[in-house]
């Protein structure tokens, strides 16, 4: 539990000597509880009090790392259950599952599909970050040859070594140690050997036990060995139970403030369902609530497009609305005579409007001024979407040089802006567009139809 | 130390609303699928989309299975009810759009009546893109289907008086209050409808839906906040079940609409459309929706299996 000012006061020497810069120990304790001052400012605190204070002020969920070089990722470190309270900070990473009992062709074709999914969405590169490599053969050499193939085949993916045999695990780690693999994992039987191995190579260690209680006990034992770079997963095989596990591990850490479960979790979606679309459904659930590594059987664009987009959405900062960059955007094969629309830089508005323009199949231009990242009506009410801001964007993005049209279509909801804009842009004609984005396709077709006839 | 499993006890409960004669929505007193905390209420339900006109740009296999029935909403509805067994049907008057034939409210009412007579499933009536026109359509359709307890998508800020008065007050059907992705707007519209005299048991809400990737974080956060307000803070004005027409959003975004010729590396178009529909549905169900409208039978199958495996 977080300490209150009174709790901290009880830990202080109560000398009221003012050396901390506060008039009394109590005043210092109150400030400390708010996080406004360092505990070290009091030179007279006992060692015991110091450790208790630092434990109490440590974040409830650890931030852990895996990977190496520019493929280094952080997981965990979350502080809230809902993103409106505070941003979710470390996005989950996706894995594709391989095993050493798969045929060569199967391995090869999976590698190819993994490499194919690599694209940029709103300035973020999207690809599968992890190759989950499971030793099912029980044979070290067979497993090592799988690791080698995938390592050479998918240069971007960090390996996650999955075996419960410490001997095989050691050989596997040595095979790919330079890429900072995840070691999965420690269980009730092998945890001492696995912790030693993870310690030696400084690896993120997967920990697994049958259910929440057993996992809790095992984590305590591992923490007692002095290792805290952990990734948790229960052995539950039904979706309902896994959801229970993942939600309650997170709540134990953040609500009960019990750091034994203060670690990120992994979900093996491919073990919960065979079918691809069901795996997609499961992965969607756990991107939202609360997994940090999500393993799928395979990847293609039909899975990647929704999953990566969802992840990007859920992990954006809710305090700062997503804004699109200001500028002049070409939709379809627009040329210098195509219609020009203007709307705000609020990402949601931009996406909806550009989607409707695309749907209309009418090539067009969209001008996005600096409208403060608000929706149309809010930006207008705040004076951020006005004749001035629109005129400034027309100049800044050299619209008059790039386009021949001198008509600008404004959102129907701000028809009142017409005169204001025409004052600022005397050589332009303002056309009042559709009231709703959904009506834009018809509006644009009518608008261009009129031009031709 | 031994493990102490956390439990969250919440003060509020989502109102139980009956659609049609006996399709029950809501009733939960915990967050979505949190069966470990308490009563998850009625299982979320799935409806299928049916149009009053021949659909354009629908997935090929759906069109093949539906065959000529798409020319007749009655045949189409009967076929869906028997073959795919959704929980309800969503009859959408695309043909009432000014640029899609501008079907009159009287014609809409006639079609709705014929469909309602041909099937046993409850209906959800959806309008066209013009809120003004929807006010007129819904008035006529609600009259033709008086006291059926069917839901109407939707009453919005600009037409709630007309829709609320006709659908909820005069003709004994259910008004869906639709707002645009903001807790306060959702609350405000619910209150306005209640002040108009619409009984909460004749109301559902749609606080605004989008496809994954398209401002979806606002949708999820709005749902999270609405559900926490309803359950944790016991805010009675937000304790209504939520219905979202997922397919209206997901099939028009480029991930679903771009052909293989447009973007060869993306692969099969229909697969992409199904995936967008499934992912969008699951995401909102996990944040608080009680009913979704879908287009593809494959999505229906997967989303249903998903719901069943979380609520046994
Ligand atoms: S330095 Fe320590 S002992 Fe002295 S007043 Fe501050 S808190 Fe109290």
């Amino acid at each position: 539990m977080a300490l209150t000012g009174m709790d901290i006061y009880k830990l202080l020497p109560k000398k009221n000597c003012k050396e901390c810069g506060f008039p009394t120990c109590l005043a210092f304790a109150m400030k400390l509880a708010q996080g406004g001052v360092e505990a070290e400012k009091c030179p007279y605190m006992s060692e015991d009090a110091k450790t208790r204070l630092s434990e109490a002020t440590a974040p409830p969920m650890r931030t852990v790392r895996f990977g190496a070089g520019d493929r280094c990722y952080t997981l965990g470190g979350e502080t809230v259950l809902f993103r409106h309270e505070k941003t979710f900070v470390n996005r989950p990473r996706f894995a594709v599952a391989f095993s050493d009992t798969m045929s060569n062709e199967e391995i090869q074709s999976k590698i190819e599909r993994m490499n194919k999914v690599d694209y940029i969405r709103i300035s973020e590169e999207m690809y599968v970050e992890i190759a989950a490599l499971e030793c099912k053969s029980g044979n070290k050499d067979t497993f090592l040859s799988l690791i080698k193939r995938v390592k050479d085949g998918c240069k971007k993916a960090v390996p996650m070594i999955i075996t419960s045999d410490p001997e095989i695990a050691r050989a596997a780690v040595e095979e790919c140690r330079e890429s900072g693999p995840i070691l999965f994992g420690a269980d009730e039987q092998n945890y001492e050997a696995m912790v030693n191995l993870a310690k030696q190579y400084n690896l993120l260690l997967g920990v697994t036990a049958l259910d929440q209680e057993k996992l809790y006990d095992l984590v305590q034992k591992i923490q007692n060995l002095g290792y805290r770079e952990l990734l948790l997963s229960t052995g539950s095989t039904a979706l309902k139970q896994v959801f229970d596990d993942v939600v309650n591990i997170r709540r134990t850490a953040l609500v009960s403030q019990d750091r034994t479960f203060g670690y990120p979790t992994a979900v093996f979606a491919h073990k919960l369902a065979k079918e691809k679309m069901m795996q997609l459904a499961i992965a969607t659930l756990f991107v939202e609530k609360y997994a940090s590594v999500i393993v799928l059987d395979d990847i293609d664009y039909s899975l990647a497009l929704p999953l990566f987009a969802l992840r990007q959405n859920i992990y954006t900062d809710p305090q700062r609305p997503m804004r699109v960059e200001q500028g002049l955007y070409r939709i379809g094969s627009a040329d210098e005579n195509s219609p020009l629309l203007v709307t705000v830089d609020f990402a949601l508005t931009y996406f909806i409007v550009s989607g409707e323009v695309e749907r209309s199949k009418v090539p067009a231009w969209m001008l996005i001024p600096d409208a403060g990242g608000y929706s149309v009506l809010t930006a207008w009410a705040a004076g951020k979407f006005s004749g001035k801001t629109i005129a400034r964007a027309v100049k800044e993005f050299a619209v008059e040089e790039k386009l021949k049209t001198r008509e600008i279509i404004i959102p129907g909801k701000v028809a009142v802006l017409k005169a204001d804009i025409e004052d600022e842009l005397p050589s332009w004609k303002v056309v009042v567009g559709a009231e709703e984005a959904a009506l834009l396709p018809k509006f644009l077709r009518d608008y261009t139809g009129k031009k031709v006839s | 130390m031994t493990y102490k499993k956390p439990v969250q006890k919440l003060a509020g409960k989502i109102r139980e609303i009956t659609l049609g004669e006996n399709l029950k929505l809501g009733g939960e007193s915990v967050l979505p699928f949190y069966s470990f905390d308490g009563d998850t209420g009625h299982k979320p339900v799935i409806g299928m989309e049916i149009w009053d006109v021949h659909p354009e740009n629908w997935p090929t296999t759906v069109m093949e299975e539906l065959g000529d029935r798409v020319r007749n909403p009655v045949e189409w509805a009967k076929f869906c009810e028997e073959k795919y067994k959704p929980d309800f049907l969503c009859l959408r008057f695309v043909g009432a759009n000014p640029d899609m034939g501008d079907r009159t409210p009287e014609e809409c009412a006639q079609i709705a009546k014929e469909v309602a007579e041909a099937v046993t499933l409850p209906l959800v009536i959806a309008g066209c893109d013009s809120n003004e026109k929807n006010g007129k359509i819904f008035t006529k359709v609600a009259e033709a289907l008086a006291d059926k307890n069917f839901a109407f998508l939707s009453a919005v800020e600009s037409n709630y008086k007309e829709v609320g008065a006709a659908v909820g007050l005069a003709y004994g059907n259910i008004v869906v209050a639709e707002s645009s992705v903001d807790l306060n707007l959702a609350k405000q519209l619910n209150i306005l409808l209640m002040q108009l005299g619409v009984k909460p048991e004749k109301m559902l809400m749609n606080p605004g839906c989008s496809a994954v990737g398209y401002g979806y974080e606002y949708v999820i956060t709005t749902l999270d906040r609405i559900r926490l307000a309803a359950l944790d803070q016991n805010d009675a004005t937000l304790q209504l079940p939520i219905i979202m027409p997922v397919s209206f959003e997901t099939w028009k975004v480029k991930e679903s609409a771009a052909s293989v010729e447009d973007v060869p590396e993306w692969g099969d178009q229909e697969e992409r459309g199904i995936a967008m529909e499934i992912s969008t549905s699951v995401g909102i169900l996990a944040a608080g929706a009680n009913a979704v409208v879908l287009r593809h039978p494959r999505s229906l199958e997967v989303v249903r299996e998903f719901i069943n495996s979380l609520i046994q």
Side-chain angles (χ1 to χ4, degrees):
Chain A
M1 289 295 282
L3 294 185
T4 65
M6 276 324 278
D7 295 335
I8 298 173
Y9 176 68
K10 288 178 193 149
L11 298 172
L12 294 175
K14 307 185 191 65
K15 290 156 74 99
N16 293 332
C17 69
K18 301 190 176 63
E19 283 181 45
C20 55
F22 288 82
T24 60
C25 292
L26 184 61
F28 178 69
M30 291 300 172
K31 198 74 189 170
L32 203 55
Q34 294 164 7
V37 64
E38 318 266 280
E40 287 73 52
K41 288 268 166 62
C42 169
Y44 304 110
M45 218 184 291
S46 70
E47 279 310 310
D48 174 53
K50 272 189 208 157
T51 29
R52 284 176 62 189
L53 260 178
S54 76
E55 271 172 23
T57 48
M61 186 194 285
R62 274 182 77 82
T63 303
V64 299
R65 284 182 176 72
F66 71 97
D70 53 359
R71 307 259 170 261
C72 193
Y73 307 95
T74 50
L75 302 175
E78 302 298 342
T79 56
V80 291
L81 294 175
F82 300 98
R83 57 183 293 284
H84 61 268
E85 301 170 296
K86 213 164 182 209
T87 322
F88 289 180
V89 283
N90 287 305
R91 56 198 57 207
R93 301 296 172 177
F94 292 106
V96 163
F98 292 83
S99 94
D100 61 355
T101 51
M102 282 174 184
S103 72
N104 277 332
E105 297 72 50
E106 200 178 341
I107 294 169
Q108 194 50 41
S109 63
K110 271 199 198 208
I111 292 176
E112 279 163 19
R113 283 192 294 273
M114 262 174 96
N115 289 333
K116 242 176 111 178
V117 173
D118 193 344
Y119 60 102
I120 307 270
R121 185 182 200 280
I122 321 183
S123 51
E124 182 186 343
E125 192 183 358
M126 305 295 190
Y127 57 94
V128 173
E129 293 96 350
I130 302 168
L133 308 169
E134 185 172 5
C135 178
K136 282 191 180 162
S137 66
N139 180 310
K140 186 160 74 185
D141 296 325
T142 318
F143 190 42
L144 291 185
S145 85
L146 170 73
I147 296 175
K148 231 175 273 165
R149 284 201 54 188
V150 178
K151 190 174 79 173
D152 296 341
C154 308
K155 296 257 183 282
K156 283 194 168 165
V158 177
M160 172 155 85
I161 295 162
I162 306 177
T163 174
S164 55
D165 181 330
E167 276 317 300
I168 293 179
R170 176 168 294 276
V173 167
E174 276 158 12
E175 180 63 48
C176 60
R177 52 193 277 197
E178 71 291 342
S179 51
I182 301 172
L183 174 58
F184 202 105
D187 59 28
E188 187 53 45
Q189 277 75 46
N190 69 13
Y191 72 93
E192 283 171 311
M194 286 294 189
V195 166
N196 282 335
L197 184 57
K199 262 187 188 168
Q200 185 184 345
Y201 291 99
N202 197 13
L203 303 177
L204 177 57
L205 178 64
V207 181
T208 182
L210 211 57
D211 55 32
Q212 290 168 41
E213 287 77 20
K214 294 202 169 67
L215 184 62
Y216 188 87
D217 294 341
L218 182 55
V219 172
Q220 284 184 320
K221 288 180 192 161
I222 291 174
Q223 290 185 149
N224 288 340
L225 295 175
Y227 207 61
R228 286 171 191 262
E229 301 302 307
L230 310 179
L231 174 69
L232 310 184
S233 178
T234 61
S236 309
T237 50
L239 173 60
K240 188 179 177 182
Q241 186 58 48
V242 176
F243 185 56
D244 182 333
D245 298 341
V246 170
V247 169
N248 282 305
I249 288 172
R250 172 96 155 218
R251 295 202 302 194
T252 301
L254 302 188
V255 182
S256 315
Q257 303 252 334
D258 179 345
R259 290 178 183 75
T260 308
F261 270 167
Y263 298 96
T265 51
V267 166
F268 297 85
H270 69 306
K271 304 234 161 153
L272 300 175
K274 287 205 169 57
E275 207 271 320
K276 159 181 158 178
M277 289 299 173
M278 192 59 191
Q279 288 184 22
L280 167 70
I282 294 169
T284 300
L285 173 70
F286 288 111
V287 168
E288 221 165 277
K289 291 215 161 152
Y290 297 120
S292 291
V293 169
I294 298 171
V295 188
L296 301 165
D297 253 330
D298 216 324
I299 193 74
D300 62 19
Y301 273 92
S302 71
L303 294 174
L305 292 171
L307 282 177
F308 286 124
L310 173 71
R311 179 178 78 177
Q312 191 175 45
N313 281 168
I314 298 295
Y315 281 75
T316 53
D317 182 351
Q319 316 297 323
R320 228 175 330 136
M322 266 216 280
R323 287 173 75 172
V324 287
E325 232 172 280
Q326 299 142 32
L328 183 64
Y329 291 81
R330 172 191 255 138
I331 314 282
S333 53
D335 62 26
E336 53 186 20
N337 295 310
S338 302
L340 170 70
L341 299 96
V342 62
T343 191
V344 292
D345 55 348
F346 178 42
L348 184 53
T349 305
Y350 172 79
F351 276 130
I352 291 169
V353 174
S354 63
E356 294 296 340
V357 175
E358 275 177 35
R359 197 160 68 96
S360 77
K361 303 239 154 56
V362 176
W365 296 92
M366 273 176 70
L367 179 65
I368 305 296
D370 177 0
Y374 300 113
S375 67
V376 170
L377 282 175
T378 317
W380 167 74
K384 305 249 178 204
F385 191 51
S386 65
K388 276 207 174 53
T389 53
I390 293 169
R392 201 180 306 136
V394 166
K395 306 231 154 62
E396 191 178 339
F397 303 112
V399 178
E400 298 194 344
E401 286 87 87
K402 287 179 191 153
L403 308 187
K404 285 208 175 122
T405 181
R406 287 295 176 267
E407 288 190 5
I408 187 163
I409 303 166
I410 64 170
K413 282 187 181 145
V414 289
V416 292
L417 274 178
K418 184 173 162 59
D420 184 23
I421 301 169
E422 284 176 346
D423 282 350
E424 298 284 340
L425 293 169
S427 52
W428 286 74
K429 182 179 165 214
V430 172
V431 178
V432 176
E435 283 265 346
E436 301 284 333
L439 301 173
L440 260 178
K442 173 172 162 49
F443 173 86
L444 279 174
R445 284 193 294 265
D446 291 351
Y447 176 75
T448 46
K450 256 181 239 142
K451 298 249 120 158
V452 175
S453 58
Chain B
M1 269 216 301
T2 51
Y3 178 52
K4 202 169 157 293
K5 190 169 171 173
V7 181
Q8 192 179 20
K9 282 277 165 255
L10 299 165
K13 185 178 175 203
I14 304 303
R15 191 176 275 278
E16 192 179 280
I17 305 287
T18 307
L19 183 64
E21 274 170 29
N22 52 19
L23 183 63
K24 291 197 169 22
L25 308 184
E28 69 269 32
S29 51
V30 295
L31 292 173
F33 304 119
Y34 280 32
S35 47
F36 38 84
D37 278 348
D39 186 0
T40 50
H42 297 287
K43 228 190 249 187
V45 295
I46 309 172
M48 276 187 109
E49 192 180 344
I50 285 166
W51 284 14
D52 66 326
V53 288
H54 188 282
E56 272 173 54
N57 305 321
W58 272 39
T60 326
T61 60
V62 178
M63 291 304 282
E64 277 166 10
E65 282 195 23
L66 293 174
D68 261 353
R69 299 177 195 93
V70 291
R71 299 189 185 284
N72 179 343
V74 174
E75 292 305 312
W76 184 351
K78 272 164 55 184
F79 178 76
C80 275
E81 170 170 277
E82 277 156 36
K83 175 138 177 133
Y84 308 122
K85 304 194 169 38
D87 301 301
F88 64 91
L89 295 169
C90 177
L91 176 58
R92 184 182 182 191
F93 288 102
V94 175
N97 269 308
D99 60 334
M100 291 285 290
D102 214 4
R103 192 186 293 288
T104 64
E106 289 73 18
E107 286 168 353
C108 294
Q110 185 54 35
I111 292 172
K113 200 162 174 242
E114 285 168 15
V115 171
E117 278 161 8
V119 297
T120 56
L121 289 175
L123 297 186
V124 167
I125 305 294
C128 64
D129 293 336
S130 157
N131 292 323
E132 200 190 324
K133 175 102 188 247
N134 286 343
K136 301 194 174 73
I137 300 173
F138 293 164
T139 305
K140 285 290 166 201
V141 176
E143 184 183 3
L145 302 176
D147 300 316
K148 288 279 193 190
N149 229 13
F150 291 163
F152 285 68
L153 280 173
S154 314
V156 296
E157 204 192 338
S158 65
N159 68 9
Y160 81 92
K161 281 189 185 151
E162 190 179 3
V163 176
V167 173
L169 291 176
Y171 301 118
N173 284 298
I174 296 173
V175 187
V176 180
E178 179 181 339
S179 46
S180 48
V181 207
D182 179 281
L183 172 128
N184 293 317
L185 294 178
K187 188 175 160 75
Q188 186 189 323
L189 186 57
N190 288 355
I191 292 173
L192 287 173
L193 278 162
M194 289 174 193
Q195 282 171 351
L196 196 66
V198 181
K199 297 221 167 56
E201 56 268 28
K202 294 283 183 191
M203 286 173 64
L204 294 169
M205 59 178 165
N206 169 16
C209 185
S210 75
V212 279
Y214 292 83
Y216 194 69
E217 69 274 33
Y218 298 99
V219 174
I220 296 305
T221 285
T222 304
L223 287 172
D224 281 345
R225 293 187 59 208
I226 286 177
R227 277 305 173 244
L228 287 170
L231 297 172
D232 199 12
Q233 291 134 42
N234 206 3
D235 183 339
T237 60
L238 289 168
Q239 287 168 342
L240 295 171
I242 292 169
I243 178 169
M244 286 190 161
V246 169
S247 56
F248 296 11
E249 302 297 328
T250 65
W251 289 94
K252 66 183 185 192
V253 299
K254 66 170 173 293
E255 287 81 349
S256 309
S259 68
V260 186
E261 293 75 52
D262 291 340
V263 199
E265 67 273 21
W266 280 5
D268 190 79
Q269 183 185 352
E270 196 161 327
E271 287 271 302
R272 281 185 267 122
I274 295 169
M276 289 298 285
E277 187 164 46
I278 290 173
S279 191
T280 302
S281 305
V282 167
I284 62 165
L285 288 169
N290 302 79
V292 290
V293 178
L294 303 180
R295 182 172 297 177
H296 204 291
R298 181 89 191 91
S299 312
L300 173 95
E301 211 179 324
V302 173
V303 175
R304 173 169 285 164
E305 187 191 337
F306 173 82
I307 293 169
N308 286 340
S309 48
L310 277 169
I311 297 182
Q312 284 123 0

